[in-house]
Amino acid sequence: MTRGFPAGFLFGAATAAYQIEGAAHEDGRTDSIWDAFSRIPGTVVNAENGEVACDHYHRYTDDVALMKELGLGTYRFSTSWSRVRPDNGPVNPKGIDFYSRLVDELLSAGIKPWLTLYHWDLPQALEEKGGWVNRDTAELFRDYALSVHDALGDRVGVWTTLNEPWCSAFVGYTAGVHAPGRQSKTDGLAAGHHLLLGHGLAAQALRERDPALELGITLNLTVAKPVDPARPGDVDAARRIDGQLNRFFLDPLFRGSYPADLLDDVAHLGFTELVRDGDLAQISQPLDSFGVNYYNGSLVSDLPTGSAQLSHDPTNRVTSSPFPAADGVFNHPQGLPVTAMDWEVQPDGLRELLVRVGAEYTGPAGTDLYVTENGAAYDDVVATDGAVHDADRTLFLQLHLGAVLDAIDEGVDVKGYFYWSLMDNYEWAWGYQKRFGIVRVDYDTQERLVKDSGRAYAAIIAARSLPAAAEAALAK
Ligand code: GBH
């Protein structure tokens, strides 16, 4: 027996500007924080950067043709602030024209454009004025959002303000693993609040300008479990991770307040002084859509294990934990299979997360729920027959689509799923070493090759159901 997806369920794939576009110095684009960060020795594996990436800037018509071949109903991409408004100056006609042409190409292929305004690439000129730690950046983000809408609002219906503000704030400003590479608990907290504020300002302004748009935000969320539910230290560890990763963003957005326990945890870092009257009302704008990015869950304790890392540092620099108030919290392996990122494969965590988010946040708010990213890196090889037989990725995809169906069976109205990523690309501090695509990219020739997983996804999309083989795997 196969398992069908509900009518109207959207199937897509996702990318982000800096990870695929290349053309970093073309048509007026200037540096983002990722251009600057990747030049610092030791920050990125093999000192790789996004100067060329997948050369999507020049190959977007071919890439859209591939999307059409796969049968994608929607494509989630991001616009580069540094291309649209170099150094946050006036709008750059050539920069915005690229996105205009991309959108036209998508529309003529029958693919719904899903636009994200910010996927981690702040103009470096703004970082030099304090970046997201500077409250003014929130207002500048609103102005940039309106600039993009001025040019594309007539053709793009779905607008996501931010991708994973947790990563922007805490991996960028506290752990130092991502751009801009700062290692400060207070900077991460300030960045987190100002990103939320920027979201709220942009959301209100976009909505006033265009009441018909579908407006949302995307968060990376986890399922944090205590190693031993009977040990108070473990339970508190799980509470902290949930608070500092999930609820730090979910609660202000949907409930108009920061969680009390989180405020207690970070009080000694001066967090409350940052939050001004009216900020939370500004942040908690009504949302039409909400995106969950899910990769894995976490099992935590206040007792260390052999591998006591909360996050991975690709280049083995001295970096910090991304959690500002979780010193003494340790991640424990669950013994599940891992991807090439060493992330455990835990599809049931996606079901559990969707059920929780649906029940506690999006459901009561009447906000549509989507999985805007989910995917896996594997050490793909091109076989002698010229194909990539990535059975591990196909299984990953099927298991997670199965988890989405499980959540739907439990009554959560999940409206769509985006695989991360359409194609292999620049995996941030890991450079080109990690491949997440359902399409392989040969970085010497820029040739694209649909992997077996891409064919499997295309078949699922065409049938609008999971095949029987997937169900057998799911039953295991
Ligand atoms: C997404 O972020 C990004 O949006 C995308 O740009 C990126 O390419 C993609 O994922 C793949 O990385 O503590 O070691 O278990 C991913 C967000 C947050 C997911 C941290 C993994 C736990 C890592 N990540 N999380 S670990």
Side-chain angles (χ1 to χ4, degrees), residues 226-455:
V227 168
D228 179 354
R231 277 194 74 253
D234 289 6
V235 172
D236 194 62
R239 177 194 65 74
R240 280 174 189 266
I241 300 307
D242 180 51
Q244 291 167 51
L245 200 154
N246 299 327
R247 291 180 290 115
F248 185 101
F249 296 92
L250 283 168
D251 280 39
L253 288 166
F254 287 98
R255 297 178 178 168
S257 59
Y258 283 107
D261 64 307
L262 169 80
L263 290 178
D264 281 351
D265 290 343
V266 298
H268 67 288
L269 296 168
F271 183 64
T272 20
E273 287 83 273
L274 273 166
V275 182
R276 298 192 190 162
D277 283 352
D279 283 3
L280 285 154
Q282 185 66 57
I283 291 166
S284 54
Q285 301 290 317
L287 298 175
D288 303 303
S289 66
F290 177 76
V292 170
N293 290 359
Y294 173 80
Y295 288 86
N296 54 3
S298 37
L299 186 68
V300 294
S301 171
D302 62 345
L303 300 176
T305 47
S307 65
Q309 286 269 358
L310 265 176
S311 75
H312 244 69
D313 172 27
T315 55
N316 297 312
R317 283 177 305 132
V318 180
T319 51
S320 321
S321 160
F323 296 97
D327 290 351
V329 174
F330 301 92
N331 218 12
H332 285 235
Q334 305 177 64
L336 298 167
V338 294
T339 68
M341 300 295 282
D342 258 340
W343 298 346
E344 292 186 303
V345 179
Q346 194 186 340
D348 195 54
L350 177 56
R351 178 201 58 79
E352 194 178 329
L353 187 60
L354 291 170
V355 169
R356 176 195 184 187
V357 170
E360 296 180 22
Y361 296 98
T362 55
T367 300
D368 289 343
L369 179 57
Y370 290 86
V371 177
T372 41
E373 282 181 33
N374 168 246
Y378 285 106
D379 296 322
D380 298 325
V381 289
V382 181
T384 46
D385 63 0
V388 177
H389 301 301
D390 56 339
D392 35 20
R393 185 175 290 103
T394 300
L395 183 60
F396 182 98
L397 174 66
Q398 292 173 339
L399 290 169
H400 287 81
L401 282 171
V404 170
L405 287 176
D406 290 343
I408 292 172
D409 286 347
E410 287 186 43
V412 190
D413 191 11
V414 186
K415 300 257 184 208
Y417 172 94
F418 293 77
Y419 180 79
W420 180 274
S421 176
L422 172 69
M423 55 186 151
D424 296 339
N425 59 46
Y426 181 69
E427 179 50 27
W428 307 113
W430 289 98
Y432 296 96
Q433 303 313 301
K434 303 293 179 190
R435 295 176 176 272
F436 278 84
I438 46 175
V439 174
R440 181 178 176 88
V441 175
D442 179 324
Y443 294 112
D444 294 324
T445 63
Q446 290 294 344
E447 269 171 277
R448 275 66 162 147
L449 172 68
V450 178
K451 303 177 191 178
D452 283 2
S453 59
R455 302 273 171 226

